[in-house]
């Protein structure tokens, strides 16, 4: 059987149905499921968090792999609804980097096809993504977008917003930055 509709179109109730019955569907994709939680405009923030927690009951282990396979989605899903300081953001990305190395070192994983990864190195000392393993061809893999003006603009915005000590705005800015990459 196939689901026949995009995950990001699902209603709150449908998420629970498809998670319960995922084995029946040949086109069920766990990464797509998690990604859709961010994209789905039908869900309130509270519902998104409830769906995430329900997905974790079945797919938490797969979710942890997203730190390597798609760290952007991992970050966004993990921090849903949270107001993050700069310090929080740095800590989360540092943890992701540590966990990426653990995943890569795991012998069982080494034999799977996880693609080719390279370290993010944009040249900015304080970049939160320095040392982050990036799958080639994925977000931020082509450093150029981030390399030039974007990074400066981002840092300037973060600094000016930070002065207003509005944590919510910082969170929105980094979300936007991540979306643009
Ligand atoms: Zn960077």
């Amino acid at each position: 059987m196939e689901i026949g509709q995009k995950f990001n179109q699902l209603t709150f109730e449908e998420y629970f149905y498809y998670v319960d019955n995922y084995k029946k569907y040949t086109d069920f994709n766990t990464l797509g499921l998690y990604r859709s939680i961010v994209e789905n405009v039908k869900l309130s923030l509270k519902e998104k968090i409830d769906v995430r927690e329900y997905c974790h009951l079945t797919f938490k282990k797969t979710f942890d792999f997203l730190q390597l396979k798609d760290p952007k989605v991992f970050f966004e899903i993990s921090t849903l609804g949270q107001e993050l300081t700069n310090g929080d953001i740095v800590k989360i990305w540092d943890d992701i980097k540590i966990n990426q190395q653990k995943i890569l070192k795991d012998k069982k994983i080494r034999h799977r096809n996880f693609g080719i990864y390279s370290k993010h190195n944009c040249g900015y000392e304080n970049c939160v993504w320095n040392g982050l393993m990036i799958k080639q061809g994925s977000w931020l893999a082509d450093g150029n977008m981030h390399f030039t003006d974007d990074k400066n603009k981002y840092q300037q915005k973060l600094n000016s917003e930070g002065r207003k000590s509005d944590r919510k705005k910082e969170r929105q800015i980094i979300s936007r930055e991540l979306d643009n990459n």
Side-chain angles (χ1 to χ4, degrees), residues 2-11 14-15 18 27 29 32-33 35-37 39-42:
E2 290 195 359
I3 294 166
Q5 64 173 321
K6 287 183 179 170
F7 279 138
N8 61 15
Q9 303 289 316
L10 296 183
T11 62
E14 282 172 327
Y15 272 101
Y18 284 114
D27 59 342
N29 174 296
L33 176 79
R35 182 180 283 131
S36 77
I37 298 172
E39 295 169 350
N40 196 319
V41 293
K42 290 180 183 174

Side-chain angles (χ1 to χ4, degrees), residues 120-124 127-130 140 146 151:
H120 177 80
N121 181 12
C122 62
Y124 290 92
C127 178
V128 289
W129 297 308
N130 276 343
L140 283 178
H146 176 63
K151 177 65 188 172

